[in-house]
Amino acid sequence: MTEAFDAAIIGAGIVGAACADEFARRGMRVVVVDREFAGSGATAAGMGHIVVMDDSEAQFALTRYSQQLWQSLRAELPDEVEYESCGTIWVAADEEEMAEVRRKHEYYGARGVPTEILDSRRLKQLEPKLRDGMAGGLLVPEDAVLYPPCAAQFLIERAQSRGAKLRIGVSVSNIGEESVRLSDGSEFAAKIIVNAGGADAALLSPGIEIMKRKGHLVITDRYPGFLGHQLVELGYLKSAHTVSSDSVAFNVQPRRTGQILIGSSRQYGAEHGEVDHGILTRMLERAREYMPGLGRMSALRTWTGFRAATPGKLPLIGPWPADQSVFLATGHEGLGITTSLATARILADQIEGVQPEIPIEPYLPARTAKEHAHA
Ligand SMILES: Cc1cc2nc3c(=O)[nH]c(=O)nc-3n(C[C@H](O)[C@H](O)[C@H](O)COP(=O)(O)OP(=O)(O)OC[C@H]3O[C@@H](n4cnc5c(N)ncnc54)[C@H](O)[C@@H]3O)c2cc1C
């Protein structure tokens, strides 16, 4: 007899893991399948910055909701998740970027997110290793950092403790009509199938518009005390919004170990996971322009990963119109660690017919049809 579940989740990245945990908490019989292991994929490659963002109202709502869910989970997170409320400082290099600091301060303030405008002196006091002459910055103290693969592992283990089954090391070859077929030829039934396959989600649900957006990161040796906050240049926003060209931006993170995680780059059309030395050099030079001392550090490892980008710059969370049993939870681009918990909540709410805490329309996969109509 075919095994049957209430929900099958394809992908045990941070998004699939969060869905498994949330669904199991609500009493569903859940199975999670991953061709590798929990927290591999983009989750292993990500920076783990839990950050509230304001590119759009919908992005703000999802990032803030999820950030608060992480905050409330904090006491339960094991040590190895390395959750630290270090805060973000958006660094303004010049007066033009200070105008953006003031805009952000107002936007966040109007929506209940505490921030503090830093002048040049105060910025230097907080982060003395930044080069002289920066105009100032914006401190967002409730932003945090964590170690994504361990966070995914924690969520999967909690789901398992609530009865979820985990199948790793086997690929899913086909989903639809309440059925999941695996590459070993076996098959099982699930009333709901969640495609949380990250950048490869479109292979299982053809028609989803996901573009792979490659990123590079570097981790240094241990330099305790060098840096106190996640530092991001305000020019990052220009880089994150570029759609046509490769871009780099200064984005550094203090790890609990004293190591420094240096990012980040964005590339479309780079399908291979190899390190691209050209863009890596640009990224490190940018980091050195902001913090010259980084140039004297030893790097231990460099790696790449693929963000799952959508044309509408928002994730796809909800029913996939092409098949009644399939739901999508993908397309989180550079914010999937941050928004994983909120994704799981609003997806479970939709499935159970419960009113979600934030408006969900902007994330519904049905919107892609509208995006086509307006393209
Ligand atoms: C360089 C970089 C830096 C980033 N920094 C941040 C950050 O600071 N903050 C933040 O919030 N986000 C960040 N992100 C984004 C974040 O890492 C991703 O949005 C997030 O990890 C996506 O999680 P996911 O579960 O959707 O996908 P993934 O982690 O990729 O998981 C998908 C899983 O599905 C499995 N899978 C796919 N297809 C199949 C199949 N057919 N059968 C079986 N299994 C399958 C894969 O093996 C994989 O484990 C960053 C990303 C990159 C690349």
Side-chain angles (χ1 to χ4, degrees), residues 62 315-319 328-330 332 343 346-347 350 360 363-365:
L62 194 66
L316 298 163
I317 309 167
L328 303 183
T330 183
H332 295 77
T343 296
I346 64 179
L347 194 61
Q350 288 179 59
I360 57 166
Y363 325 112
L364 293 178

Side-chain angles (χ1 to χ4, degrees), residues 10-16 33-37 40-43 45-50 170-172 196-200 204 213 215-217 305-307 329 332-339:
I10 318 307
I14 194 91
V15 172
V33 189
D34 199 294
R35 63 188 172 203
E36 291 186 48
F37 52 89
S40 52
T43 299
M47 216 177 187
H49 186 200
I50 305 299
V170 60
S171 272
V172 174
D200 282 339
L204 287 176
R213 205 170 189 192
H216 288 70
L217 291 178
F306 291 96
R307 306 173 182 90
H332 295 77
E333 219 269 3
L335 288 169
I337 311 299
T338 302
T339 55

Side-chain angles (χ1 to χ4, degrees), residues 25-347:
R25 185 176 75 87
R26 296 188 190 206
M28 293 188 217
R29 282 172 307 133
V30 176
V31 62
V32 191
V33 189
D34 199 294
R35 63 188 172 203
E36 291 186 48
F37 52 89
S40 52
T43 299
M47 216 177 187
H49 186 200
I50 305 299
V51 55
V52 60
M53 294 285 283
D54 62 347
D55 288 359
S56 62
E57 286 296 338
Q59 189 194 58
F60 173 81
L62 194 66
T63 52
R64 180 61 171 161
Y65 179 31
S66 213
Q67 182 184 65
Q68 289 172 325
L69 292 173
W70 279 114
Q71 280 167 357
S72 54
L73 194 57
R74 184 183 183 168
E76 286 175 62
L77 294 173
D79 233 32
E80 60 268 22
V81 175
E82 295 182 11
Y83 183 99
E84 298 280 351
S85 299
C86 60
T88 303
I89 297 178
W90 293 92
V91 180
D94 53 30
E95 274 315 308
E96 192 190 339
E97 291 181 358
M98 276 311 279
E100 177 61 11
V101 161
R102 288 186 282 274
R103 188 204 61 77
K104 258 175 140 22
H105 172 69
E106 222 165 89
Y107 183 95
Y108 286 156
R111 289 158 185 78
V113 180
T115 63
E116 182 189 337
I117 295 182
L118 311 173
D119 62 15
S120 183
R121 235 184 88 243
R122 178 88 179 113
L123 176 66
K124 193 76 185 169
Q125 266 173 0
L126 290 178
E127 291 296 347
K129 299 292 196 300
L130 276 168
R131 78 162 156 77
D132 292 338
M134 291 292 171
L138 186 74
L139 172 64
V140 188
E142 291 190 6
D143 285 354
V145 302
L146 53 70
Y147 185 49
C150 287
Q153 186 63 35
F154 161 75
L155 291 167
I156 280 289
E157 282 172 11
R158 205 165 67 154
Q160 286 178 290
S161 74
R162 291 167 166 160
K165 300 265 186 296
L166 175 65
R167 293 201 56 181
I168 54 170
V170 60
S171 272
V172 174
S173 51
N174 196 54
I175 56 173
E177 296 179 352
E178 301 192 10
S179 170
V180 175
R181 195 166 330 124
L182 304 180
S183 54
D184 62 9
S186 63
E187 209 166 325
F188 58 83
K191 287 191 210 111
I192 283 156
I193 303 162
V194 177
N195 183 349
D200 282 339
L203 299 177
L204 287 176
S205 304
I208 314 178
E209 285 192 283
I210 298 282
M211 288 159 290
K212 290 189 173 182
R213 205 170 189 192
K214 185 173 175 179
H216 288 70
L217 291 178
V218 172
I219 188 119
T220 70
D221 209 339
R222 296 173 186 229
Y223 300 93
F226 184 84
L227 168 77
H229 304 81
Q230 176 105 17
L231 300 182
V232 192
E233 66 161 290
L234 271 163
Y236 171 87
L237 300 171
K238 295 169 205 150
S239 148
H241 292 165
T242 316
V243 282
S244 51
S245 59
D246 297 353
S247 59
V248 296
F250 169 67
N251 185 353
V252 292
Q253 178 179 104
R255 304 294 323 165
R256 188 182 284 176
T257 52
Q259 292 171 286
I260 296 161
L261 192 50
I262 307 174
S264 62
S265 66
R266 284 181 144 82
Q267 289 171 283
Y268 281 119
E271 295 283 322
H272 208 285
E274 271 173 21
V275 170
D276 172 337
H277 290 279
I279 199 150
L280 180 67
T281 305
R282 274 176 61 197
M283 186 180 99
L284 292 174
E285 275 170 4
R286 188 73 180 164
R288 225 159 39 132
E289 274 172 39
Y290 277 75
M291 290 192 118
L294 289 172
R296 292 185 289 278
M297 293 185 171
S298 303
L300 294 185
R301 194 164 81 85
T302 303
W303 66 91
T304 67
F306 291 96
R307 306 173 182 90
T310 63
K313 297 186 183 145
L314 287 171
L316 298 163
I317 309 167
W320 176 229
D323 187 307
Q324 275 189 25
S325 59
V326 175
F327 286 69
L328 303 183
T330 183
H332 295 77
E333 219 269 3
L335 288 169
I337 311 299
T338 302
T339 55
S340 52
L341 298 183
T343 296
R345 284 282 175 107
I346 64 179
L347 194 61

